């Protein structure tokens, strides 16, 4: 299955771009550095500077099976996945982005509810899909989420 960008946006203050990319196995929120100066948004974004797991399309895998998904990002593994990590029908929820006032943090919402976010302190992201912090990012932390002043897209 080809990668599908479900939602994306560029922050006007920082020039950073965020996009939710679903590869048919898992979906990740990517935060990209601004595109080079003078480039249009259509020219593409800069390099990925942070990620957050949004969801698995498949059941959590065994840690030993991670190598089978390389070079792409592996789905979250058993022992790290929350009970709501799997989203088998990602077309049904509405996915939206919100940015911090400074433009250096981005949050992905699922049907209007905060789902995962990236901040300078959490470059591997915080996600409700993560139960135990580790290689797939940090488990959701309400305190870190509440510390940010989130604006619309």
């Amino acid at each position: 299955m080809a990668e599908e960008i479900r939602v994306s946006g560029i922050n006007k203050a920082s020039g950073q771009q965020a996009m939710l990319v679903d590869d048919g196995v898992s979906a990740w929120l990517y935060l990209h550095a601004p595109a080079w100066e003078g480039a249009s948004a259509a020219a593409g974004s800069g390099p990925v500077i942070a990620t957050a797991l949004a969801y698995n399309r498949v059941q959590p895998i065994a840690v030993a099976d991670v190598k089978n998904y390389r070079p792409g990002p592996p789905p979250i593994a058993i022992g790290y996945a929350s009970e709501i990590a799997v989203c088998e029908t990602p077309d049904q929820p509405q996915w939206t982005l919100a940015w911090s006032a400074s433009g250096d943090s981005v949050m992905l919402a699922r049907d209007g509810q905060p789902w995962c976010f990236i901040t300078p302190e959490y470059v591997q992201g915080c996600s409700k899909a993560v139960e135990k912090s580790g290689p797939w990012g940090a488990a959701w932390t309400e305190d870190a989420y509440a510390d940010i002043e989130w604006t619309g897209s």
Side-chain angles (χ1 to χ4, degrees):
M1 177 178 202
E3 289 186 346
E4 180 179 348
I5 298 173
R6 297 206 173 274
V7 64
S8 68
I10 297 175
N11 183 271
K12 292 181 177 113
S14 68
Q16 294 180 343
Q17 181 177 24
M19 58 180 66
L20 174 62
V21 179
D22 184 328
D23 66 6
V25 175
S26 61
W28 294 78
L29 177 63
Y30 292 100
L31 182 61
H32 293 262
W36 59 93
E37 193 171 329
S40 69
S45 53
V48 173
I49 56 175
T51 61
L53 174 70
Y55 56 83
N56 269 14
R57 295 278 300 267
V58 298
Q59 291 301 311
I61 62 171
V63 173
D65 291 337
V66 166
K67 64 186 176 302
N68 299 332
Y69 291 89
R70 297 293 182 201
I76 195 168
I78 298 165
Y80 293 92
S82 74
E83 62 184 33
I84 57 174
V86 177
C87 181
E88 293 176 346
T89 55
D91 292 335
Q92 291 179 1
Q94 180 183 11
W95 302 99
T96 55
L97 298 172
W99 293 89
S100 64
S102 62
D104 64 354
S105 301
V106 64
M107 184 265 298
L108 176 70
R110 178 179 177 167
D111 290 334
Q113 298 300 311
W115 189 257
C116 65
F117 63 89
I118 296 168
T119 68
E121 294 78 25
Y122 288 97
V123 295
Q124 288 187 304
C126 285
S127 175
K128 290 184 178 176
V130 177
E131 178 72 26
K132 176 183 167 191
S133 297
W136 288 270
W140 183 263
T141 170
E142 192 64 32
D143 289 344
Y145 169 76
D147 282 346
I148 305 290
E149 179 184 343
W150 299 102
T151 64
S153 57

